[in-house]
Amino acid sequence: MRSPAEAAERQKAFIGRFLGHVPHLAALGIRYRAHGPDWAELEMPYAPQLVAYPESGVIASGAIFSLMDTASGLAVVMRMAELQPHATLDLRCDYLRPAEPGKTVVGRAECYKMTRRVAFVRGIAHDGDEGHPVAHVAGTFMLTAAA
């Protein structure tokens, strides 16, 4: 039997491998930051290719959505404590303000409820101050392996 510390290291390694093997996420620069038993936190460093409006330096909303979809899906994996097939059923993303140019965007999502077939998530994206979020998400994931 693995210790909790060993299990956490295995989960961290899994998340790192997952992020490195998905070309879309690698192109966005999304990387691991932290995780817990029902949550995951990722970061997306500011980069010129993420900018939607060159005159303002504002990151494209689609990049932030991808960050939050990935963090949400990984939160579901953490809650299940194993990799099982699941898919985004619905993910609402409310953009509250633009991220400040030059700053890393952090996305943290929590899987707060799970039924036999559906996982429920919520989370925020911020650029350094959790109390002043860039976006808020709420969504559901379908557990596709559920019998």
Side-chain angles (χ1 to χ4, degrees), residues 6-125:
E6 290 172 324
E9 276 304 310
R10 283 182 47 115
Q11 289 171 330
K12 178 181 175 181
F14 163 77
I15 293 169
R17 284 192 310 275
F18 173 78
L19 295 174
H21 284 88
V22 179
H24 175 72
L25 302 177
L28 293 172
I30 294 173
R31 58 190 185 207
Y32 172 84
R33 189 171 169 109
H35 76 281
D38 59 358
W39 60 272
E41 189 172 83
L42 305 175
E43 63 183 17
M44 184 173 60
Y46 187 85
Q49 70 269 21
L50 302 178
V51 173
Y53 306 102
E55 64 280 356
S56 67
V58 171
I59 293 176
S61 60
I64 293 171
F65 186 89
S66 292
L67 172 70
M68 295 310 297
D69 186 35
T70 305
S72 296
L74 288 171
V76 173
V77 172
M78 295 302 103
R79 175 82 183 237
M80 289 188 289
E82 63 182 330
L83 180 60
Q84 291 183 26
H86 62 287
T88 308
L89 191 58
D90 178 54
L91 188 64
R92 176 189 170 120
C93 185
D94 295 319
Y95 295 97
L96 306 173
R97 66 176 179 84
E100 289 188 37
K103 289 193 172 182
T104 293
V105 177
V106 176
R108 181 183 174 115
E110 166 196 22
C111 179
Y112 65 92
K113 171 79 174 158
M114 198 155 208
T115 69
R116 217 167 50 90
R117 296 192 182 265
V118 179
F120 299 85
V121 299
R122 60 185 163 214
I124 64 161

